Amino acid sequence: MSKFTKKKSGELPPVNTASLPDIVFMLLFFFMVVTVLRNNNLLVKNELPKADQVEKLKKDRSVYIFAGKPSARYADKYGKEGKIQIGDKYTDVSNVKFALTEARQKLLPELQDKVMVALKVDKETNTGLVTDIKQELRDLNMLKLIYIAAPGTEIGK
C-alpha cells in the first residue's frame, strides 16, 4: 500500500529573478537612446520674431549665434544691454571672430568651408548689435547666414 503525505505548508515558491538584469539593461538602453542632451545653456532672452515662411535647418554644418538681453536670472550679473552668446559663453563683438573660428574647427573637416551661421536674435534686440555681428561675419568670409524665426504671423502691431 502506498503512503500519502500532506503538503508541508501553503507557502508560495520564491520569485524567479533570473530575468531581472535583462530588464534593467533593456530599460537603461531605452533611456540612453531616447534622452536628448542639451547643447547650449541659453543665457540670453530669446523670444523669436514670427515669420510665415519657415524651413527646417540641418544642424550638422551650422554654428548658432544667440543675441539678446541677458535672461532674467543673469540680468543682475551682466546688466540689461544686448549680449552675444556663442556656445555656452557670452562674447563681445570684438571676440566674435575668435569664437566663430573655434566653433568652425569643431565641425567635420569637409563641412568647415560650407558652414552656415544661424542667428537667433531676440525680437527686442537693437539692430546695431546685429549689424556688428554681420560685419564680423563678412570679415571671416562666412557669408551664408540664416535668421531663425518662430512660425506664425505677427498680429496686432
Side-chain angles (χ1 to χ4, degrees), residues 51-114:
D52 58 352
Q53 297 179 1
V54 180
E55 292 181 25
K56 188 88 170 155
L57 176 65
K58 292 182 181 179
K59 294 183 179 182
D60 61 343
R61 63 179 192 149
S62 57
V63 175
Y64 287 89
I65 298 176
F66 301 94
K69 295 178 182 176
S71 60
R73 75 180 158 183
Y74 298 108
D76 295 336
K77 187 175 181 181
Y78 295 107
K80 298 189 188 260
E81 292 295 317
K83 298 279 186 190
I84 301 169
Q85 177 185 349
I86 299 175
D88 281 339
K89 297 181 267 183
Y90 283 130
T91 185
D92 195 54
V93 175
S94 60
N95 295 333
V96 168
K97 287 182 187 178
F98 175 73
L100 286 175
T101 305
E102 186 178 309
R104 181 191 271 182
Q105 297 299 323
K106 291 180 182 177
L107 295 175
L108 296 173
E110 61 269 7
L111 297 176
Q112 289 179 1
D113 294 333
K114 301 174 184 174

Side-chain angles (χ1 to χ4, degrees), residues 3-127:
K3 190 175 182 184
F4 294 101
T5 59
K6 288 187 172 182
K7 284 187 176 179
K8 293 181 181 177
S9 65
E11 293 182 20
L12 292 173
V15 176
N16 186 6
T17 59
S19 63
L20 191 59
D22 294 334
I23 294 170
V24 169
F25 283 116
M26 186 172 56
L27 285 172
L28 177 70
F29 288 132
F30 172 77
F31 286 115
M32 286 174 52
V33 170
V34 174
T35 303
V36 176
L37 300 176
R38 273 174 53 191
N39 289 337
N40 295 327
N41 184 17
L42 200 55
L43 303 173
V44 296
K45 181 181 164 191
N46 200 246
E47 188 176 331
L48 298 174
K50 306 271 187 206
D52 58 352
Q53 297 179 1
V54 180
E55 292 181 25
K56 188 88 170 155
L57 176 65
K58 292 182 181 179
K59 294 183 179 182
D60 61 343
R61 63 179 192 149
S62 57
V63 175
Y64 287 89
I65 298 176
F66 301 94
K69 295 178 182 176
S71 60
R73 75 180 158 183
Y74 298 108
D76 295 336
K77 187 175 181 181
Y78 295 107
K80 298 189 188 260
E81 292 295 317
K83 298 279 186 190
I84 301 169
Q85 177 185 349
I86 299 175
D88 281 339
K89 297 181 267 183
Y90 283 130
T91 185
D92 195 54
V93 175
S94 60
N95 295 333
V96 168
K97 287 182 187 178
F98 175 73
L100 286 175
T101 305
E102 186 178 309
R104 181 191 271 182
Q105 297 299 323
K106 291 180 182 177
L107 295 175
L108 296 173
E110 61 269 7
L111 297 176
Q112 289 179 1
D113 294 333
K114 301 174 184 174
V115 67
M116 298 177 90
V117 177
L119 279 177
K120 286 186 115 175
V121 181
D122 184 54
K123 67 181 183 179
E124 296 177 4
T125 302
N126 293 336
T127 309

Side-chain angles (χ1 to χ4, degrees), residues 127-142:
T127 309
L129 183 62
V130 177
T131 305
D132 292 342
I133 294 169
K134 287 171 49 177
Q135 184 60 44
E136 295 294 324
L137 292 172
R138 282 187 206 111
D139 293 344
L140 282 173
N141 199 26
M142 297 176 90

